[in-house]
Amino acid sequence: MKKRQMAVWTMCASMMLGIVSCSQKEVVQGNLHVIPLPQEVMESENDSSFEINSSTQICYPEGNEKMKRNAEFLASYIRKMTGIEVALSTTLESRNAILLLLDDAVQHQEGYELKINTKQIVLRGSTEAGVFYGIQTLHKTLPIIEGKALAAIPCGTVKDFPRFGFRGFMIDVGRHFFSVDYLKEIIDMLALHNINYFHWHLTEDQGWRIEIKKYPQLTEVGSKRKETLISWGSNKYDGIPVSGYYTQEEAKEIVRYAAERYITVIPEIDMPGHMLAALASYPELGCTGGPYEVATTFGVFTDVLCGGNDKTLQFAKDVVNEIMDIFPSPYVHIGGDECPKEHWKTCPKCQRKIKQLGLRDTKEHTKENQLQAWFMGEVEKEIKARGRKMLAWDEILEGNPAKSTTVMAWTSPKARVKSLQQGHQTIVCPITHLYFSNPGYNRLRGVNSVARVYNFEPMPEGISKEEQQNVIGAQGCIWTEWTKDSVKMEWQMMPRIAALSELQWSAPEGKNLEDFLKRLEHQMDIYTAYGYHYKQDIDEVSIAVEADEKGEAHVTLTTFDDAPVYYTLDGTEPAVESAKYEAPFVVNKSAVIKAKAVRERGESEVSEETLDFNLATMKPITLAEAPHANYVFKGKTLLVDGLQGDGNYRSGRYLGFYGKNLDVTIDLQAEQEISSAFISTYLMPNDHIFGLEGMEVYVSSDGKEYRKVAEKTLPVLSKESKDNVAKMEIVSFDKVKARFVRLVGKCTSKLPKWHRGAGQTAFMFVDEIGVR
């Protein structure tokens, strides 16, 4: 914040000017460079500003209720940030006023322009929504002073509009129920970040959360489950019943509340998969007739709606029509994801319908996938008949849907390309970057977690201009399998939602992570002012280790805000008396690096990395087989950087091999006496990630002629094998001298018979190799 002192006037002069001031009062100036960053900001060069005081008025056009509400929002934001009460008026004042105006000359429908001088602020938008986004910029420009000083807005101009018209965020209330009051809080969080679509995921295998009057059992039975799985792979349950649903009137209240903040609520009824709660309520809608139970575990279930049952189709149409009565949204989301076809393949009704429709297997689409496309198409007719558009997840592309379907591309960044190439309007929300509840990516900490969102580019490379026009926006998602309360909800959202808002709103050519992180500090102060629970690890020190292939590690310590950092290398707790970080430093032996940031508001948690040196650490290596393109990260040096994996194969600490052996040659750079070697892997069989079937060690003095000195056979993982297991395989042998060592780690060739993906290719993830 910029600070300056207000001049002290004599009592006589003060009376002449109509200003009474008994003592100096500090004026704190805000910053127009907010999140998301406006398209154009030009601040006055003379450091002048518009000062807000108790005499300031917010002026809006008489008779316009939306603009009146906008003015009320701005007044409430000023009161919250500064402690200053300002008045509202329909008289356009020329001095000490903030004017909110509608102006057709502002070109973009959601755009706005701000002109700020010492006498007034003029905010113009072509629509009330555009004015609201300008108000959000003023909101975030305000200094947080809580009545202890005067607030000032820098003089200058802002011209702004969004990059994308669809800026979404999804909350799943099917797995865990959240109250109406708390959803309103979430909507306020979305408004703070210029998000204009709230995607409300209302139904799941684990709970049906919206009242459907024609089918009362959906909430009488389907909204309740007896208990919930405690954690993945635990087979233990908490014994706590979960229930809750929204009446139609409560849903309409959410729609109203969101609309006042220019946010459209998109309802989602996921079908034909993820429907166990509905099947438990009405068993006749399934292929087998049940019995069914509201799910107490998570995942993908084989019991789905019967795609060939006319009664089931009518049920889907009835539900969608009631949903459209509640929600005026132009979009209705009907899911379409994760719908296994096991029962459809043997169901007489499904097979009869397939025959009736003349569906046949093709190279691209099975007849059962085409049946799903037909089923969804019939529901889409109901949606289109009422002037709405159908939204669906990208699995719907497996059945060749109508081009009128808008696709949410979630399964991977490649899914958006497939959708665009097939001619669909597409909303980008890949699990790899924009799923804020993904357990794997949630293990990323601090700046790395934020950067994964911020550095993602929604617009794929190599597509045509026509296909680019079909990228209508981006969306973040939170699924609530393991999210039961507001604290976890919010730390999953914040501060990553700030990064999301910038890729949704701001021009991509202006994106700069370092600049964003500097602006993020004030955004987090705003979170604190509102009592939001942002993820505190953003305050921690990031420790980066780079291998230089000369036996040395180059260590860099950073924070998002360049806070002072203190560190140790011997595993002791750092303090202000410890070494202060000034520049990158070199480590050439095993060390435990601990670091903390020290700020006025307090100290961060301690960050820690252990560097474990062996003869191969930081030495040159070559790979005979390349890793899978999605899991290369920093490349081959990951294997010899002295760092163990972090239990998250997506974090960048592992190389991932798909159906290929690890075949690596290490140059020890001098002849050494060795007697053992190791390969460290990560096992997660549920995600098709298996370990080694064997190891071989070869040695050479010249890098040309090699001889085998050891081999080891290892068992394939059993059905009882657990997920998230770090496994180091060591092979020992008689002492031998060598400069070059070739390690071969034999991958599991195919998934075993007990696995649900039996016969498919397995992944192998390796974090470190070594020679001793």
Side-chain angles (χ1 to χ4, degrees):
M1 297 295 175
K2 300 176 182 177
K3 297 185 178 180
R4 58 192 176 83
Q5 296 293 321
M6 180 185 286
V8 181
W9 300 87
T10 66
M11 180 62 73
C12 180
S14 297
M15 290 174 64
M16 292 175 62
L17 294 171
I19 302 174
V20 179
S21 178
C22 298
S23 63
Q24 285 187 335
K25 196 163 188 181
E26 189 179 44
V27 176
V28 182
Q29 190 178 88
N31 191 328
L32 290 167
H33 294 82
V34 299
I35 293 173
L37 185 67
Q39 305 293 348
E40 181 182 322
V41 178
M42 296 184 63
E43 290 190 1
S44 173
E45 294 182 359
N46 62 8
D47 201 33
S48 58
S49 60
F50 174 84
E51 295 173 7
I52 299 172
N53 55 47
S54 58
S55 299
T56 303
Q57 291 189 333
I58 301 173
C59 306
Y60 63 93
E62 187 173 6
N64 188 319
E65 288 301 312
K66 290 184 178 180
M67 291 293 278
K68 179 183 178 182
R69 189 163 55 241
N70 280 347
E72 292 168 345
F73 279 132
L74 179 55
S76 70
Y77 298 150
I78 291 173
R79 181 169 58 251
K80 183 69 177 180
M81 297 293 100
T82 71
I84 300 171
E85 293 278 355
V86 297
L88 305 186
S89 174
T90 56
T91 302
L92 299 183
E93 299 288 343
S94 60
R95 295 180 64 85
N96 198 16
I98 303 172
L99 309 184
L100 308 182
L101 304 174
L102 293 175
D103 188 345
D104 291 339
V106 179
Q107 294 184 352
H108 196 285
Q109 190 174 15
E110 293 183 294
Y112 66 90
E113 294 181 2
L114 272 169
K115 292 186 178 179
I116 305 159
N117 60 43
T118 58
K119 295 180 179 179
Q120 63 177 199
I121 296 175
V122 180
L123 169 54
R124 302 176 185 273
S126 63
T127 64
E128 292 87 354
V131 172
F132 182 77
Y133 296 124
I135 287 171
Q136 289 302 328
T137 292
L138 290 174
H139 179 191
K140 289 171 280 194
T141 296
L142 290 165
I144 302 172
I145 54 177
E146 299 174 339
K148 299 173 184 177
L150 292 179
I153 304 293
C155 291
T157 61
V158 176
K159 294 183 179 180
D160 198 15
F161 55 89
R163 178 188 183 188
F164 292 116
F166 189 106
R167 303 179 302 280
F169 202 89
M170 189 215 78
I171 298 292
D172 160 28
V173 297
R175 273 81 175 214
H176 281 97
F177 177 80
F178 292 85
S179 71
V180 169
D181 287 343
Y182 185 62
L183 290 180
K184 288 180 178 180
E185 286 189 48
I186 288 177
I187 288 167
D188 286 329
M189 296 173 201
L190 304 187
L192 179 67
H193 295 89
N194 295 17
I195 288 170
N196 63 345
Y197 283 94
F198 169 39
H199 174 178
W200 199 4
H201 186 83
L202 287 161
T203 65
E204 260 305 334
D205 294 302
Q206 296 79 16
W208 187 285
R209 305 297 179 204
I210 183 69
E211 176 189 23
I212 301 296
K213 293 181 178 178
K214 191 168 183 177
Y215 298 93
Q217 291 290 102
L218 289 172
T219 47
E220 290 177 14
V221 174
S223 68
K224 304 167 186 176
R225 69 174 180 269
K226 63 184 181 182
E227 58 187 356
T228 306
L229 183 71
I230 291 176
S231 62
W232 280 118
S234 69
N235 294 320
K236 294 180 180 179
Y237 296 82
D238 60 13
I240 302 171
V242 176
S243 64
Y245 69 92
Y246 308 95
T247 67
Q248 294 194 3
E249 289 307 309
E250 287 174 327
K252 290 176 182 177
E253 171 63 15
I254 290 292
V255 169
R256 181 200 62 78
Y257 190 87
E260 289 178 349
R261 291 148 181 81
Y262 305 93
I263 293 173
T264 299
V265 181
I266 299 174
E268 180 183 357
I269 306 296
D270 203 349
M271 64 177 76
H274 290 285
M275 271 279 172
L276 265 177
L279 295 177
S281 307
Y282 295 95
E284 65 272 20
L285 300 177
C287 291
T288 68
Y292 305 107
E293 180 183 49
V294 178
T296 57
T297 62
F298 304 111
V300 179
F301 299 90
T302 56
D303 286 313
V304 301
L305 292 181
C306 180
N309 187 339
D310 292 338
K311 184 176 181 180
T312 301
L313 179 59
Q314 188 58 50
F315 162 81
K317 291 178 178 180
D318 292 340
V319 168
V320 164
N321 273 295
E322 279 201 42
I323 288 294
M324 288 190 287
D325 291 340
I326 303 167
F327 297 91
S329 164
Y331 295 104
V332 177
H333 202 308
I334 62 170
D337 63 313
E338 297 177 331
C339 180
K341 307 300 191 300
E342 281 91 329
H343 291 313
W344 287 17
K345 292 176 181 179
T346 58
C347 171
K349 290 180 181 178
C350 289
Q351 292 304 310
R352 191 181 308 121
K353 181 63 69 174
I354 285 171
K355 185 175 181 180
Q356 177 187 332
L357 295 171
L359 304 178
R360 291 180 174 81
D361 289 337
T362 68
K363 184 178 180 180
E364 296 83 12
H365 311 291
T366 68
K367 57 183 183 292
E368 286 78 20
N369 283 339
Q370 293 174 64
L371 177 62
Q372 178 177 341
W374 170 83
F375 185 96
M376 304 285 274
E378 292 298 298
V379 178
E380 184 178 21
K381 290 176 184 177
E382 295 289 310
I383 295 170
K384 291 177 68 176
R386 296 182 60 171
R388 315 287 186 91
K389 297 179 181 178
M390 185 178 89
L391 266 171
W393 301 107
D394 62 60
E395 286 99 326
I396 197 172
L397 299 174
E398 297 170 2
N400 195 26
K403 296 294 183 285
S404 55
T405 300
T406 301
V407 174
M408 282 191 168
W410 77 274
T411 53
S412 74
K414 292 181 180 179
R416 58 187 166 160
V417 177
K418 181 179 180 181
S419 176
L420 294 167
Q421 290 175 341
Q422 292 188 19
H424 295 276
Q425 287 198 328
T426 302
I427 297 158
V428 180
C429 52
I431 184 174
T432 52
H433 295 81
L434 301 185
Y435 269 35
F436 290 4
S437 52
N438 184 287
Y441 292 118
N442 276 346
R443 294 196 188 107
L444 294 176
R445 299 183 65 83
V447 172
N448 290 335
S449 176
V450 173
R452 186 164 189 84
V453 177
Y454 189 83
N455 290 330
F456 175 68
E457 171 49 47
M459 191 71 68
E461 296 180 353
I463 61 173
S464 68
K465 289 185 177 180
E466 181 181 358
E467 289 166 345
Q468 289 178 10
Q469 295 300 312
N470 274 335
V471 179
I472 63 172
Q475 175 172 286
C477 301
I478 288 183
W479 302 95
T480 60
E481 290 96 332
W482 314 111
T483 306
K484 301 179 182 181
D485 56 55
S486 61
V487 172
K488 187 167 184 181
M489 177 73 78
E490 289 163 27
W491 75 247
Q492 288 184 139
M493 291 175 70
M494 292 177 274
R496 286 180 292 180
I497 193 172
L500 170 71
S501 73
E502 196 134 306
L503 67 88
Q504 291 174 329
W505 183 280
S506 304
E509 56 270 18
K511 283 175 62 177
N512 179 287
L513 179 61
E514 185 176 348
D515 175 69
F516 170 80
L517 293 172
K518 291 177 181 177
R519 291 180 282 117
L520 183 60
E521 184 173 12
H522 182 60
Q523 189 79 3
M524 294 193 304
D525 289 340
I526 295 173
Y527 297 158
T528 299
Y530 281 103
Y532 300 154
H533 301 91
Y534 70 84
K535 198 175 182 185
Q536 298 285 335
D537 64 20
I538 188 66
D539 288 331
E540 295 174 8
V541 179
S542 294
I543 303 175
V545 177
E546 296 291 339
D548 70 355
E549 296 191 341
K550 296 179 181 178
E552 295 181 337
H554 293 261
V555 181
T556 305
L557 308 179
T558 57
T559 63
F560 81 95
D561 58 351
D562 296 325
V565 172
Y566 299 87
Y567 70 95
T568 62
L569 299 178
D570 59 2
T572 58
E573 294 299 296
V576 291
E577 296 80 21
S578 305
K580 185 177 181 181
Y581 178 77
E582 302 290 351
F585 56 87
V586 171
V587 175
N588 56 15
K589 62 181 180 180
S590 294
V592 178
I593 306 168
K594 290 189 174 184
K596 69 163 57 172
V598 178
R599 303 175 176 87
E600 286 186 12
R601 65 175 182 268
E603 298 180 353
S604 72
E605 294 293 319
V606 174
S607 300
E608 180 178 340
E609 287 286 11
T610 299
L611 278 172
D612 186 9
F613 274 64
N614 63 76
L615 295 178
T617 306
M618 315 292 170
K619 299 295 174 60
I621 63 171
T622 56
L623 291 173
E625 298 282 1
H628 188 281
N630 289 347
Y631 302 104
V632 176
F633 304 112
K634 289 183 180 179
K636 62 185 181 180
T637 58
L638 284 171
L639 299 179
V640 288
D641 62 4
L643 299 172
Q644 296 297 314
D646 57 2
N648 174 16
Y649 64 87
R650 305 180 183 94
S651 70
R653 296 283 282 262
Y654 302 82
L655 288 188
F657 295 86
Y658 187 58
K660 295 180 179 179
N661 292 336
L662 169 69
D663 192 338
V664 56
T665 300
I666 309 157
D667 181 358
L668 301 180
Q669 297 187 310
E671 194 170 71
Q672 305 273 0
E673 188 175 71
I674 64 174
S675 60
S676 69
F678 71 84
I679 300 174
S680 178
T681 62
Y682 175 73
L683 310 180
M684 194 164 187
N686 195 52
D687 282 3
H688 297 202
I689 300 171
F690 276 58
L692 300 172
E693 282 191 350
M695 286 179 64
E696 295 176 352
V697 182
Y698 301 80
V699 297
S700 171
S701 58
D702 59 5
K704 297 177 181 179
E705 299 292 329
Y706 285 85
R707 64 187 180 91
K708 184 189 293 186
V709 294
E711 63 179 327
K712 184 178 183 179
T713 301
L714 299 164
V716 177
L717 296 183
S718 68
K719 190 174 183 179
E720 289 71 34
S721 299
K722 295 182 178 181
D723 282 333
N724 299 314
V725 174
K727 183 71 171 176
M728 180 180 288
E729 300 291 355
I730 302 172
V731 59
S732 298
F733 43 88
D734 292 337
K735 290 181 180 180
V736 61
K737 289 186 177 182
R739 172 174 172 172
F740 297 92
V741 181
R742 178 186 170 207
L743 289 181
V744 178
K746 295 184 177 179
C747 70
T748 301
S749 55
K750 297 291 182 183
L751 296 175
K753 291 181 179 179
W754 61 261
H755 197 277
R756 69 175 188 277
Q760 297 178 22
T761 302
F763 272 101
M764 178 174 67
F765 279 79
V766 183
D767 62 316
E768 200 73 6
I769 61 172
V771 177
R772 301 190 191 278

